[in-house]
Amino acid sequence: MRVGNDHCDAIGVSVAPSQLDNLSSAILQQGGMARVSLPGDVVTWAAGGHQTLRRMLSDQRFNRDWRQWRAFQDGEIPEDHPLIGMCKVDNMVTAHGADHRRLRGLLSRSFAPARIALLAPRIEQCADRLLAEMAQRGGSADLMCEFAVPLPTNVIAELFGLPDEQREEIVALTYSLANTSATAAEVRQTRQRLPEFFRRLIAFKRGQLGDDLASALIVARDNGELVSDTELIDMLFMVLSAGFVTTTGVIGNGVLALLTHPQQLHLVRSGQVPWSQAIEEILRWGSPVANLPFRYATEDVEIDGCTVPRGDAVLMAFHAANRDEKAFGPGADRFDVTRRHNPHLSFGKGPHVCLGAALARLELRCAFTALFGRLEDLALAIAAEDVVYMPSYVIRCPQCLPVTFRPSIVPPIETKALGRTRGAA
């Protein structure tokens, strides 16, 4: 039986996303659980087996409260390590029990599927406008900068009530935080700028509260439903960042998958496979959250032949779990839009299942149907192996995706549709 202090067989984790498939294979070869060594000499567990991770996501012996992380509390992990900005927060994601129910309850009504469905016309309008602007600039574009980033950013920003002039700044800050190769100085700068950004936003919004998520959370703080200013800031950041960075990644990964598997794309465009089914396969194969830090053992836990000591951290290896042959059968590593049995974990499971899943699926449907319906002969302008990804082993998202296309009929540009953010991942 493997135990928590067994470091000799730890699998090295690289910040290079090109090594992600190798990492996932190595984790799966060791069974449901493996020891991994993250950059910066951080040795943790990784839950990569589909059944193992699915079970752990609902196991109350594990939670995401960073105060449980023994190595961090003992000073073994410095405050300026790139992971700390993602872990040391107090919001719905890291809360558990009654606190988690309290925080999730503040947002659940806004993300109810019936309410989200009403956004479809506005999201479609935003997608059409972005494609019209791309077409006016010519037959080539960086799909990330000109479509995959601004579409979900503008959608969540409108729901959030974020002014146009602040949208590019929060995009930049979010990607800085997700950069797991950042230097200590860069980490300190990002962690200083983030609360400053939200303190400015809170001051601005207090003067003109409206029917938006930011206003609702500010009122919740004033009413005592949020117990501290830190909790308010961390909740504001969670809603904004989770609302665009993951969807941006799925759009980029999905376009790349479809363009490099033309027979699969033909099945969808010809109507032989519905977009809803193809999107689930894109979510599985191109999940933007590759490895999510962390769940912490609140007691000694035996799982899959391993003893995880109390206080140990477990990396949630979603990329590996979504390629586990025990769950998806032979060919689990292949992109296959005809796959019907698809219990992917890209939205998580258990009490922390993604609250924005309905919004993400709606945005993805609008994005892919617009892209492949309005841009003819859409193709990569570079070889797939030359695509540059974010320097992160947490988020899998292309930084840029050069494409060429021949625009078909495009609508007039509507300048007031969901803001005008452009940016690069």
Side-chain angles (χ1 to χ4, degrees), residues 132-151:
E133 291 176 343
M134 282 173 51
Q136 286 195 345
R137 289 190 288 270
S140 63
D142 173 2
L143 196 69
M144 300 307 296
C145 175
E146 300 182 45
F147 186 80
V149 173
L151 177 62

Side-chain angles (χ1 to χ4, degrees), residues 38-349:
L38 307 178
D41 197 29
V42 178
V43 178
T44 75
W45 295 94
H50 185 277
Q51 184 179 11
T52 304
L53 180 55
R54 181 187 177 100
R55 200 166 57 232
M56 181 177 291
L57 291 172
S58 299
D59 193 330
Q60 295 184 5
R61 296 174 297 175
F62 295 90
N63 66 41
R64 294 196 62 188
D65 183 353
W66 54 271
R67 297 167 185 84
Q68 302 282 345
W69 189 7
R70 181 201 55 76
F72 180 61
Q73 296 297 337
D74 290 351
E76 298 174 19
I77 316 297
E79 281 275 356
D80 53 14
H81 189 284
L83 285 176
I84 301 306
M86 289 180 259
C87 298
K88 191 180 176 181
V89 290
D90 293 314
N91 57 35
M92 185 182 79
V93 171
T94 58
H96 57 95
D99 282 337
H100 175 254
R101 292 189 291 274
R102 168 176 60 86
L103 296 173
R104 192 177 178 98
L106 294 175
L107 299 175
S108 57
R109 181 182 175 189
S110 297
F111 287 95
R115 187 168 185 175
I116 292 300
L118 299 176
L119 297 174
R122 289 149 67 188
I123 298 173
E124 291 167 352
Q125 183 184 40
C126 182
D128 288 343
R129 175 180 59 78
L130 291 169
L131 294 179
E133 291 176 343
M134 282 173 51
Q136 286 195 345
R137 289 190 288 270
S140 63
D142 173 2
L143 196 69
M144 300 307 296
C145 175
E146 300 182 45
F147 186 80
V149 173
L151 177 62
T153 300
N154 289 332
V155 170
I156 194 63
E158 180 174 280
L159 288 173
F160 191 85
L162 185 68
D164 288 359
E165 60 271 16
Q166 291 184 301
R167 297 181 184 186
E168 290 188 7
E169 183 178 1
I170 192 58
V171 169
L173 284 171
T174 299
Y175 284 114
S176 293
L177 191 72
N179 179 3
T180 54
S181 64
T183 66
E186 290 170 336
V187 170
R188 289 192 294 270
Q189 182 183 49
T190 300
R191 293 186 64 196
Q192 177 182 343
R193 290 178 59 200
L194 271 170
E196 291 174 350
F197 173 90
F198 284 105
R199 280 192 284 269
R200 294 197 310 271
L201 175 64
I202 291 167
F204 172 79
K205 295 293 292 182
R206 282 193 188 281
Q208 46 181 4
L209 294 173
D211 183 20
D212 55 64
L213 285 170
S215 296
L217 290 173
I218 290 169
V219 170
R221 172 65 183 124
D222 293 344
N223 292 342
E225 295 173 278
L226 292 174
V227 299
S228 69
D229 291 342
T230 296
E231 193 173 67
L232 170 60
I233 289 173
D234 288 351
M235 283 287 286
L236 290 169
F237 177 64
M238 181 212 70
V239 173
L240 262 186
S241 60
F244 75 85
V245 68
T246 50
T247 309
T248 289
V250 182
I251 294 173
N253 295 337
V255 169
L256 186 59
L258 290 166
L259 293 183
T260 53
H261 296 80
Q263 293 181 332
Q264 303 284 310
L265 176 58
H266 172 72
L267 292 173
V268 185
R269 298 187 80 168
S270 64
Q272 297 177 64
V273 172
W275 271 111
S276 58
Q277 182 173 313
I279 286 171
E280 295 307 307
E281 177 66 355
I282 290 168
L283 283 163
R284 182 194 74 87
W285 194 82
S287 174
V289 182
N291 300 290
L292 185 63
F294 287 115
R295 289 182 73 83
Y296 311 100
T298 61
E299 61 184 78
D300 292 353
V301 181
E302 291 188 13
I303 183 169
D304 287 353
C306 304
T307 299
V308 181
R310 177 182 178 182
D312 268 18
V314 182
L315 189 71
M316 291 168 275
F318 289 103
H319 185 272
N322 283 341
R323 280 162 170 69
D324 189 349
E325 290 190 352
K326 293 178 182 178
F328 300 98
D333 60 341
R334 292 199 306 266
F335 179 66
D336 182 5
V337 297
T338 68
R339 192 183 306 275
R340 292 183 180 275
H341 178 66
N342 197 343
H344 67 77
L345 296 176
S346 298
F347 289 124
K349 280 291 177 184

